[in-house]
Amino acid sequence: MALFGVDDTVVAVLAPFATALFAPAVVRKLKHNAAWVLAVVPAIIFLHFCRYVGAVSSGETFTEGFSWVPAYGVNFTFYLDGLSVLFAMIISGIGTLIILYAGGYMKGHAHQGRFISFLMLFMGSMLGVVTANNMITLFIFWELTSITSFLLIGFDHLRKASRRAAMQALVVTGGGGLALLAGVLMIISATGQGELSDVLTTGDTLRNSALYTPILIMILGGAFTKSAQFPFHFWLPNAMEAPTPVSAFLHSATMVKAGVYLLMRLNPVMGDTMAWEIILPGFGGVTLLVGTILAIRQTDLKLMLAYTTVASLGLLVMLTGTGSEAAIEGAVLYLFAHALFKGSLFMMAGCIDHEAGTRDVTKLGGLRKAMPITFAAAVLAALSMSGLPPFIGFVAKEVLYDGTWTVSGLITLVAVTGNVLMMATALGVAFKPFLGEPVETPKHAHEGPVLLWLGPLTLAVLGLLAALAVGWTGPALLGPMAGAVFGEPNQGDFHLIPAHIGAPLFLSLITMALGAALYWRLEAARKLVDRVVTAIGWGPDRGFDQVITLIVTFAGKVTTYMQPGRMQTYMSAVFIIVAAALLVPMIAFGELPSFPGMPGFTFYEWLVLTLVVIGIISVLAARTRLIAIVSLGIQGFAVAVIYMLFGAPDLSFTQFMVETLSVVILALVMTRLNLTAKDNRPFRETVPHMVIAGAVGLGFGLLLMAVTQVPFDARLSEFFSANARVIAHGRNIVNVIIVDFRGIDTLGEIGVVMVTGLAILALIRVRARGPKKPEEASTGGPLQAVSEPVNEEAAR
C-alpha cells in the first residue's frame, strides 16, 4: 500500500512531524478549537493501523520503507506485526484524545501552539520506535523521544523545578540511549543483520554469541532507564512537573513503555536464558514494590499515579522476564489495560487541578456533584486499575496470576503485594477527591469543557468495553501481540480468561480484600511509609544530584588545572604533546633514524651553519626580550640563505620577507604589552622549559633525518613539472603549486592570516581604550575581563 509512491506506514510515521510545523499557525488562527482540527491527523494514523489488525491476527507481517544510507546499511524501514501494530494503535489512539485534551487544558496559554507542536513531535518519534525495522533507525527515533520529552517536561521553563526535571530525564534516558546504541551495534555485529525482522529469524545466534552478556547489559541499560526501573525510577515522578497532557501521554501510555516494548521485541532472541530470567524479574519485582510503597506515601494525585506507573512498568518487566507464555500473556493484557486506565486517571487528575486549583487529596473532597462526568470517569478507570470485574484490569490480573502461579511462588507474592498496594492507591485517587463533604478549594470547582472530560471518559469506557468484548479483543489485538513476544506469528489459542477457576481467582479475591482494607486505613499507611522513608533519608533522586555535583566538581577541577589562564601553561602543554607525537611513535615502533656520521659540507655551508649557531647563542644570551626577538630572526635568514644556495631564489626572497615582517610585527606587539624588559622566570621553571624545547627540537630533527633516509619518490615532482605549463599555463612551478594545484590550501592560509590580524587589531584597540570608568565597571559588562591590561603571566 502506497500513497504518492511512498509506503503508507512511512507517511503515517512522518505525518506528526509535518503537522508539528503547522500546529502553531493553526492554533494562532483557531485558538483552543485548533485541537479539533489537529486531532484529525493522529485519528487518521489510528485508522491506518487498524487496517492491519485483521492481517496480523492471521499471522501476517509487513515490511515497508526504503533505503536511507545504503553505504552503512541504514534503511528507513518499518516492521508491522501484532506487537508493533497494537503499540502504534495505543500511541495514535490515545494521542488523538491527548491533543483534544491539550486544547482544553492549555486554553488561553500563550504558547499552546508550541506545546501541541511538541506533542506531535513526540508522537511521531514514538511511532517510529515501535514500528522501526532497521535497528539504527530505531535508535534515532529512540533518542528523539528523549529530546521531545525534554522539551515537554521543561515546557514551563521559567520554573526551576521544571528545568531540573527535564534535565534529569534527559540525562537518565539519554545515557540509556547511548547504552542502547552500543547494544544495537553489537547485535548487528553478532548476527550480521541490521533489520529487526531479520534478527528475529536468527534463532539462538544471540544467545550463543560471546557478545550476549555485554549485549544484554547494554540493552537492559537502555530499557531500564527509559521504563524507569529501579534504581532509575526517580526521573519519572519528577517529570510530573510537566503539564498534565504530557503526564497522561508520555508517562503513562507511551514513552515509559518504550523500554518494555524493546524487551518484548527482543524476547524471542534474547530471552530464555538464566541471566534474562533472573535480572528482569529481579529488577521488575523490586521496581513494583518500591513504586507502590512510595505511591501510598503521596498526597499529590499526579505523584500517586506516577509512582503506580513506575510499579506497573516493574510488573511488566517482571512478567516479560519469567519465560512463561501465560505470564507474558498477562503482561500483554496488563500493558493494554494500563494504557487505558492510567491515561484516563492522569487526565482526570488534570481536570481536578484545572477546575479546582489543587491536586492535593488532603485538600479535596465532595467534588462528585460539581464534577459528575469526571467522577464517573475516575470511578470506571480506578475500578479497572484495581482489577475488579467486569473491567479489562480484572481480566489482566487473572491472566497474570495464572502465569506467575506456575512459575514462582516468590514472583506471585510480589505480584499480589504490588496489586494490593496499587488497588488502595487507585481507590484513593478515585474516591478521596469526590466523596465526603465539599471542601473549599482555591478555585470554584465545576465540570470542565468537553475537551477536558472527553478523553478520560472515553478511555475509562473502553476499559469496560474491552473486557465485555472478550471474543474479539483477545484474538484480534492481544493474541497477535503475545505471539510476537513469544516469537510466533500467530497465537490463536490466546484466551482472556484462564481455562480453570482456581489459584488465579483465589489470588484475586485476596487482592481485593487486602486492597479494600488498606484503602480504609490509607491515611495511617501513608503516615507510616512517610516516617520510614524520612528515616532512611537518602534515595536515588538525591544520589542523582550527588553524582551530578561530583561530575561538575571534577570537571571544574580539571578545567582549573588544564585552563588556569596562563599562556605559559598552554604553550607548555602544546609543546609536550608535539614532542610526544614526534618521539613516542619512532621509539615505540623502532623507527629511529640511523646517524650517517659527519656530513661533507662545503665551506659556505659551514658558514651558514655557523650563522645558525650564532643566532641560537644570541637568543639564549639576550638580556632583553626585544634583543631575543631580533636574534631569533637570524635563524630564518639562515634558512633563506640555504634556499638561495640550492637554487631557489624565489623561496629565498619569500623567506627573507617573512622573517623581516615577523621580527618587525613581534617587536611592535611587544611594545604594546605590559611586560617587563626581561624574562624573570625562576630556575625551577626554566629547566623544565629547556627540556621541553630540547625534546621538540630533537623530535623534529629525528623526523627530518628519517624522512631524508627514505628513498625519494619523484612521482609528485614529475607530475608538477609535466603539468605546470600544460594545465596551469605557468612557467614557475612553485607559483603554480601555490596558486593553482594547492589554491584552496593557500586560500585557507590567507584566511588564517587575515583572522589573526583582525584578532590582533581587536586586542590592540581594546588595550588602547584603557580601564573602564567606575560606573561601567559596576555593571560587569562582557568586556570587563578583556579590558584589563595584559599581565606578564598571561603573556607567557
Side-chain angles (χ1 to χ4, degrees):
M1 293 176 283
L3 179 66
F4 304 117
V6 181
D7 291 327
D8 287 358
T9 300
V10 176
V11 176
V13 171
L14 296 180
F17 293 99
T19 307
L21 297 175
F22 303 102
V26 177
V27 171
R28 280 195 300 269
K29 185 70 174 178
L30 302 178
K31 307 301 180 184
H32 66 280
N33 289 317
W36 295 104
V37 177
L38 296 172
V40 172
V41 175
I44 293 175
I45 296 173
F46 174 78
L47 294 175
H48 163 74
F49 287 108
C50 286
R51 295 190 304 164
Y52 290 93
V53 169
V56 298
S57 64
S58 301
E60 294 185 53
T61 60
F62 301 87
T63 302
E64 301 179 10
F66 53 86
S67 179
W68 191 9
V69 189
Y72 294 96
V74 180
N75 301 315
F76 202 71
T77 50
F78 300 93
Y79 178 63
L80 299 179
D81 64 352
L83 181 61
S84 56
V85 167
L86 185 55
F87 258 104
M89 290 173 63
I90 291 173
I91 294 165
S92 56
I94 296 181
T96 302
L97 298 176
I98 291 295
I99 296 299
L100 293 173
Y101 182 77
Y105 191 86
M106 302 295 288
K107 180 181 178 180
H109 196 287
H111 302 296
Q112 185 181 25
R114 185 177 67 183
F115 181 76
I116 295 179
S117 179
F118 288 166
L119 284 175
M120 287 291 184
L121 290 174
F122 171 80
M123 187 187 304
S125 304
M126 196 64 205
L127 285 172
V129 168
V130 301
T131 59
N133 190 28
N134 186 271
M135 301 196 72
I136 299 298
T137 303
L138 183 149
F139 165 75
I140 293 172
F141 281 115
W142 183 282
E143 290 299 86
L144 282 175
T145 61
S146 296
I147 295 171
T148 51
S149 173
F150 169 79
L151 296 174
L152 287 165
I153 296 172
F155 181 75
D156 189 5
H157 58 276
L158 297 180
R159 296 175 55 247
K160 182 179 179 180
S162 295
R163 297 196 302 271
R164 178 184 181 272
M167 186 59 68
Q168 186 180 72
L170 182 64
V171 170
V172 175
T173 61
L178 295 178
L180 174 63
L181 176 61
V184 163
L185 294 177
M186 285 190 285
I187 289 176
I188 295 173
S189 175
T191 62
Q193 305 293 338
E195 305 290 306
L196 271 172
S197 56
D198 296 328
V199 171
L200 294 176
T201 62
T202 57
D204 293 329
T205 301
L206 276 180
R207 282 184 280 262
N208 297 332
S209 171
L211 294 174
Y212 177 79
T213 299
I215 289 174
L216 178 63
I217 294 173
M218 294 296 103
I219 292 298
L220 293 184
F224 282 6
T225 52
K226 187 72 83 173
S227 288
Q229 297 300 288
F230 182 88
F232 306 109
H233 65 283
F234 53 87
W235 73 263
L236 197 155
N238 289 337
M240 296 303 106
E241 295 294 337
T244 300
V246 178
S247 304
F249 194 30
L250 277 67
H251 306 131
S252 65
T254 56
M255 174 183 166
V256 291
K257 289 189 174 73
V260 175
Y261 164 80
L262 183 66
L263 297 176
M264 287 182 169
R265 174 59 77 197
L266 294 177
N267 180 68
V269 291
M270 294 192 67
D272 198 24
T273 65
M274 182 178 295
W276 184 273
E277 294 179 0
I278 291 177
I279 296 175
L280 267 67
F283 278 89
V286 171
T287 304
L288 170 61
L289 295 178
V290 169
T292 49
I293 291 172
L294 292 178
I296 292 291
R297 183 195 184 202
Q298 309 305 316
T299 59
D300 184 297
L301 289 173
K302 283 179 65 175
L303 286 178
M304 294 171 73
L305 295 172
Y307 278 107
T308 56
T309 299
V310 169
S312 298
L313 295 170
L315 177 60
L316 290 171
V317 170
M318 182 179 73
L319 295 172
T320 303
T322 59
S324 163
E325 290 192 2
I328 291 177
E329 288 179 349
V332 167
L333 251 171
Y334 188 79
L335 185 148
F336 177 67
H338 180 267
L340 297 178
F341 65 66
K342 192 58 67 69
S344 176
L345 287 173
F346 262 115
M347 285 190 275
M348 177 275 300
C351 289
I352 294 176
D353 187 24
H354 194 273
E355 302 303 330
T358 180
R359 300 194 304 262
D360 191 336
V361 292
T362 63
K363 299 177 181 178
L364 291 169
L367 294 178
R368 62 188 181 280
K369 293 182 179 179
M371 305 178 69
I373 300 177
T374 303
F375 177 49
V379 171
L380 293 176
L383 293 179
S384 182
M385 179 176 172
S386 301
L388 298 178
F391 295 92
I392 191 67
F394 168 75
V395 181
K397 181 161 55 62
E398 288 288 294
V399 175
L400 72 87
Y401 280 163
D402 187 45
T404 59
W405 179 257
T406 59
V407 174
S408 167
L410 179 59
I411 291 178
T412 302
L413 178 62
V414 171
V416 171
T417 304
N419 279 323
V420 168
L421 295 171
M422 210 159 345
M423 177 180 174
T425 306
L427 296 178
V429 169
F431 293 119
K432 289 288 185 181
F434 296 98
L435 301 183
E437 294 299 320
V439 176
E440 184 176 354
T441 55
K443 296 168 64 175
H444 175 66
H446 58 87
E447 192 63 78
V450 63
L451 285 172
L452 283 179
W453 56 256
L454 179 62
L457 184 63
T458 301
L459 292 179
V461 171
L462 285 176
L464 174 62
L465 296 179
L468 297 178
V470 291
W472 180 84
T473 308
L477 295 178
L478 304 174
M481 183 176 181
V485 180
F486 300 146
E488 303 171 4
N490 186 25
Q491 190 66 17
D493 58 348
F494 183 86
H495 298 288
L496 290 180
I497 300 295
H500 60 281
I501 298 177
L505 181 58
F506 177 70
L507 293 173
S508 290
L509 294 176
I510 292 177
T511 301
M512 295 174 194
L514 293 178
L518 183 59
Y519 167 68
W520 187 258
R521 301 291 298 168
L522 185 60
E523 189 60 33
R526 177 182 294 121
K527 293 179 180 179
L528 175 62
V529 173
D530 184 65
R531 286 197 299 269
V532 173
V533 173
T534 303
I536 295 173
W538 187 91
D541 186 40
R542 185 180 300 177
F544 173 84
D545 290 336
Q546 292 170 342
V547 170
I548 295 299
T549 301
L550 180 63
I551 292 173
V552 172
T553 302
F554 175 74
K557 291 185 178 299
V558 171
T559 302
T560 302
Y561 179 77
M562 298 298 295
Q563 302 284 335
R566 301 178 70 231
M567 184 66 71
Q568 175 181 323
T569 303
Y570 302 153
M571 297 302 296
S572 298
V574 170
F575 284 121
I576 289 172
I577 297 298
V578 170
L582 292 170
L583 294 174
V584 172
M586 287 191 285
I587 296 173
F589 296 101
E591 296 294 335
L592 289 171
S594 58
F595 290 90
M598 184 62 69
F601 287 162
T602 62
F603 77 94
Y604 51 82
E605 291 172 340
W606 279 111
L607 288 175
V608 175
L609 180 60
T610 303
L611 182 64
V612 172
V613 173
I614 292 173
I616 294 174
I617 295 174
S618 300
V619 172
L620 297 177
R623 294 184 177 274
T624 65
R625 301 178 191 271
L626 190 59
I627 294 175
I629 291 173
V630 174
S631 301
L632 192 63
I634 298 175
Q635 321 304 317
F637 291 139
V639 173
V641 173
I642 291 175
Y643 287 156
M644 184 178 295
L645 293 176
F646 281 87
D650 49 352
L651 290 181
S652 176
F653 176 76
T654 303
Q655 183 69 21
F656 274 122
M657 294 298 298
V658 169
E659 284 301 321
T660 302
L661 289 173
S662 297
V663 171
V664 172
I665 291 173
L666 282 174
L668 290 174
V669 171
M670 291 294 292
T671 62
R672 305 292 297 181
L673 298 177
N674 185 22
L675 299 176
T676 59
K678 295 182 179 181
D679 184 357
N680 297 319
R681 278 177 291 180
F683 184 75
R684 66 178 181 275
E685 292 185 7
T686 303
V687 173
H689 294 166
M690 290 173 57
V691 173
I692 295 172
V696 173
L698 178 63
F700 276 112
L702 292 176
L703 178 64
L704 292 174
M705 289 181 63
V707 170
T708 57
Q709 292 176 11
V710 175
F712 180 67
D713 187 349
R715 287 179 296 174
L716 195 57
S717 300
E718 293 170 355
F719 171 81
F720 287 140
S721 299
N723 294 285
R725 176 73 173 175
V726 177
I727 297 177
H729 307 289
R731 298 180 182 273
N732 189 313
I733 296 177
V734 175
N735 289 349
V736 168
I737 292 173
I738 293 175
V739 303
D740 198 308
F741 292 116
R742 292 180 55 198
I744 300 298
D745 181 53
T746 303
L747 180 63
E749 293 173 353
I750 294 172
V752 170
V753 173
M754 180 183 68
V755 171
T756 304
L758 292 174
I760 293 173
L761 178 61
L763 288 174
I764 291 175
R765 293 184 63 182
V766 169
R767 176 69 181 86
R769 292 175 186 171
K772 281 188 177 182
K773 296 178 181 179
E775 61 271 15
E776 293 175 346
S778 64
T779 62
L783 292 179
Q784 182 174 358
V786 298
S787 296
E788 299 173 355
V790 180
N791 58 31
E792 184 175 356
E793 285 295 319
R796 288 179 184 172

